[in-house]
């Protein structure tokens, strides 16, 4: 009868994974040899200890998963499907009701803006009028505004005089 | 549903009964779906918690997962494959969560939880100082170990030993062949075996617990 050697490390690992998958001779040896069996069991015990310790780390008081409650309001959905015209009318009414105040407010805002702009223009115009009242026309224009209203100012009537707004006549080089 | 009712339900609805419940739930039976939730809520919460290490996030994600299950259950073709399908949804949601968190952490809006060490884990069961130290040490060992794993090795290892799925279920969950799952698991266990500090820590803790009980 062929005598088989002890299982090596790799074969022990293979046996720990799947003993049935081992070669027939190796399997028979493993069942008879206490040393090989002990090695395999030691490895399996180490793995079992690892699994046991790991599982001891898992919390037990966790929040259990729940299925969401069945949707209520399925009846409403059916109403929409059965009466599409009615639902469209209802939707449009809601839309109109919702939009009306927005449109009205929009007009109000627009009117306010126009009035405000006009008031500003009026104020500007009135300010100009007041300005003209406060600052009368320059003397020259007053002088020429009407004959005989008062004596002409000879000094100011001279071209180029202090109060004269008329441009001074150009003096050419030829005249000089 | 109280704890005794849940346990009774779990005992009475093992194996083939789950398929019947799934069939009923697919037909719109809310009671059947609630029973399915009661049967699987603990294991899904465990899956999520071990991957997020935050109780609040795990609660929210578990809720989301079951809502997705309720939404997509009519699309499940084979009711016998409900458990792998459920785990697949759960893993996808956890991956989405990490992806979103990473994105937010990149812009500084939140802290990345995927690489959180033991200090970030909320105290829940053992508030004692010694227990807190032990827990911190355990999580730092786990972190160091899982950092050595590839993404697939980590997933397969956790699904096998924490979530207690068999090889076939893992293969169905991850859409891989059973032999590919075995290969990943083989590599992961070898790395676990090489990590002597974790083995020593677990051995010491186990011995301590044994002494305490005796």
């Amino acid at each position: 009868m062929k005598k088989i050697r002890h299982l090596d490390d790799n074969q022990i690992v293979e046996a720990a994974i799947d003993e049935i998958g081992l070669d027939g001779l190796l399997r028979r040896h493993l069942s008879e040899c206490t040393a090989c069996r002990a090695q395999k069991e030691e490895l399996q015990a180490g793995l079992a200890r690892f699994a046991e310790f790991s599982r001891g780390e898992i919390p037990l008081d966790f929040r259990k998963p729940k299925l969401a409650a069945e949707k209520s309001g399925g009846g409403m959905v059916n109403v929409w499907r059965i009466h599409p015209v009615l639902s469209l009318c209802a939707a449009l009414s809601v839309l109109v009701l919702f939009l009306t105040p927005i449109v009205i407010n929009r007009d109000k805002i627009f009117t306010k803006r126009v009035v405000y702009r006009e008031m500003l223009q009026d104020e500007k115009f009135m300010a100009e009028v007041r300005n003209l009242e406060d600052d009368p026309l320059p003397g020259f224009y007053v002088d020429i505004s009407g004959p005989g209203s008062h004596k002409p100012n000879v000094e100011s009537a001279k071209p180029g005089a202090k109060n004269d707004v008329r441009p001074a006549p150009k003096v050419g080089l030829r005249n000089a | 549903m109280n704890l005794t009712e849940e346990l009774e339900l779990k005992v009475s609805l093992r194996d083939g009964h789950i398929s019947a419940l799934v069939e009923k739930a697919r037909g719109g039976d809310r009671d059947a779906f609630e029973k399915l939730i009661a049967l699987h809520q603990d294991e899904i919460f465990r899956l999520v918690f071990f991957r997020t290490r935050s109780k609040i996030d795990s609660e929210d994600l578990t809720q989301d997962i079951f809502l997705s299950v309720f939404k997509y259950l009519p699309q499940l073709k084979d009711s016998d494959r409900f458990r792998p399908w459920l785990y697949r949804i759960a893993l996808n949601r956890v991956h989405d969560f990490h992806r979103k968190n990473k994105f937010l952490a990149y812009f500084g809006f939140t802290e990345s939880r995927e690489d959180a060490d033991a200090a970030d884990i909320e105290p829940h069961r053992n508030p004692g100082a010694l227990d807190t130290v032990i827990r911190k040490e355990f999580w730092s060992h786990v972190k160091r170990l899982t950092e050595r794993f590839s993404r697939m090795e980590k997933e397969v290892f956790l699904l096998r030993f924490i979530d207690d799925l068999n090889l076939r279920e893992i293969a169905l969950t991850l859409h891989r062949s059973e032999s590919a799952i075995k290969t990943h698991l083989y590599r992961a266990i070898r790395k676990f075996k090489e990590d002597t500090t974790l083995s020593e820590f677990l051995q010491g803790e186990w011995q301590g617990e044994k002494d305490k009980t005796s």
Side-chain angles (χ1 to χ4, degrees):
Chain A
M1 188 183 158
K2 192 183 171 187
K3 187 79 181 171
I4 192 166
R5 288 182 302 158
H6 287 300
L7 272 70
D8 62 22
D9 272 1
N10 297 345
Q11 287 163 338
I12 293 288
V13 173
E14 278 175 36
I17 295 169
D18 182 19
E19 198 178 324
I20 302 160
L22 276 181
D23 178 68
L25 282 173
L26 291 173
R27 203 166 59 231
R28 200 180 305 146
H29 174 82
L30 190 65
S31 63
E32 288 164 1
C33 175
T34 49
C36 289
R37 191 127 210 111
Q39 271 193 64
K40 185 207 140 202
E41 278 165 6
E42 194 191 336
L43 177 61
Q44 282 179 327
L47 290 164
R49 276 197 291 276
F50 172 77
E52 196 184 336
F53 203 99
S54 308
R55 285 179 193 167
E57 288 296 299
I58 313 294
L60 296 170
D61 57 337
F62 65 93
R63 179 167 39 88
K64 308 287 177 189
K66 276 181 189 165
L67 205 57
E70 272 183 282
K71 280 181 191 171
S72 58
M76 284 301 286
V77 173
N78 287 339
V79 169
W80 296 125
R81 281 181 189 167
I82 293 163
H83 305 288
V85 179
L86 193 73
S87 16
L88 189 70
C89 289
L92 279 174
S93 317
V94 170
L95 198 68
V96 167
L97 279 172
F98 179 73
L99 287 177
T100 310
I102 297 173
V103 172
I104 291 167
N105 281 339
R106 198 167 150 260
D107 282 352
K108 272 184 189 170
I109 292 163
F110 180 73
T111 318
K112 263 185 191 175
R113 274 186 190 163
V114 170
V115 170
Y116 185 67
R117 201 182 300 146
E118 281 178 0
M119 278 171 70
L120 275 176
Q121 280 174 352
D122 287 351
E123 261 179 40
K124 208 175 166 186
F125 178 68
M126 286 308 292
E128 275 176 23
V129 169
R130 259 181 256 122
N131 221 7
L132 284 169
E133 278 175 357
D134 294 345
D135 299 327
L137 287 166
F140 171 74
Y141 291 108
V142 175
D143 292 344
I144 62 166
S145 60
S149 57
H150 64 277
K151 276 187 177 178
N153 189 348
V154 181
E155 281 298 311
S156 65
K158 283 180 185 172
K162 196 181 173 187
N163 290 334
D164 190 11
V165 290
R166 288 177 298 174
K170 284 179 185 171
V171 182
L173 282 171
R174 210 183 296 163
N175 295 344
Chain B
M1 194 178 284
N2 63 35
L3 195 68
T4 350
E5 281 174 339
E6 264 180 47
L7 283 172
E8 279 173 11
L9 184 72
K10 277 178 190 178
V11 171
S12 64
L13 291 169
R14 255 179 220 157
D15 307 327
H17 292 87
I18 290 176
S19 303
L21 271 183
V22 173
E23 282 301 324
K24 279 185 187 172
R26 279 170 66 180
D29 186 339
R30 282 175 74 88
D31 277 352
F33 191 78
E34 273 165 12
K35 279 177 188 167
L36 279 176
I37 293 180
L39 278 169
H40 294 97
Q41 60 189 6
D42 290 349
E43 52 191 283
I44 293 300
F45 179 80
R46 187 174 63 204
L47 176 145
V48 178
F49 182 82
F50 210 83
R51 286 158 179 84
T52 60
R53 300 179 201 173
S54 156
K55 190 183 165 192
I56 297 166
D57 290 335
S58 305
E59 285 170 343
D60 292 345
L61 282 170
T62 307
Q63 176 71 38
D64 281 358
I65 289 161
F66 280 106
L67 286 179
S68 301
V69 169
F70 185 65
K71 192 177 169 188
Y72 297 110
L73 193 61
Q75 292 176 18
L76 176 68
K77 285 170 190 164
D78 188 354
S79 55
D80 289 334
R81 293 188 177 185
F82 175 72
R83 200 172 179 226
W85 180 76
L86 172 65
Y87 273 73
R88 179 89 203 145
I89 290 177
L91 286 178
N92 282 341
R93 288 293 295 118
V94 171
H95 291 158
D96 288 346
F97 170 80
H98 284 311
R99 210 174 297 136
K100 191 176 151 193
N101 244 17
K102 261 187 186 172
F103 179 76
L104 291 173
Y106 181 77
F107 292 104
F109 292 124
T110 184
E111 196 183 330
S112 179
R113 298 282 320 171
E114 197 173 20
D115 303 322
D117 59 12
D120 299 326
I121 299 157
E122 301 143 22
H124 42 85
R125 272 197 193 179
N126 303 314
L130 184 65
D131 288 322
T132 311
V133 172
I134 292 168
R135 285 178 55 240
K136 271 189 181 182
E137 200 185 333
F138 171 71
W139 284 105
S140 66
H141 281 304
V142 172
K143 192 186 168 194
R144 209 183 48 243
L145 173 70
T146 49
E147 272 171 358
R148 293 179 62 210
F149 289 165
S150 70
R151 195 182 155 187
M152 205 59 186
E153 285 165 13
K154 183 181 168 183
E155 212 61 272
V156 171
F157 187 81
L158 295 182
L159 283 171
R160 179 73 193 93
F161 297 109
I162 307 296
D163 304 312
D164 210 18
L165 261 65
N166 61 38
L167 292 172
R168 187 178 165 268
E169 284 174 325
I170 299 172
L172 288 171
T173 304
L174 300 176
H175 291 314
R176 296 282 195 283
S177 67
E178 264 187 61
S179 58
I181 296 301
K182 273 187 198 172
T183 310
H184 289 299
L185 195 57
Y186 170 81
R187 286 179 193 152
I189 292 176
R190 278 210 65 92
K191 285 173 187 172
F192 173 82
K193 210 180 162 196
E194 283 162 13
D195 193 341
T196 48
T197 51
L198 176 59
S199 305
E200 280 164 16
F201 168 82
L202 288 168
Q203 181 71 35
E205 279 309 306
W206 181 70
Q207 199 62 46
E209 284 293 315
K210 237 172 81 173
D211 293 346
K212 240 191 252 179
T213 48
S214 63

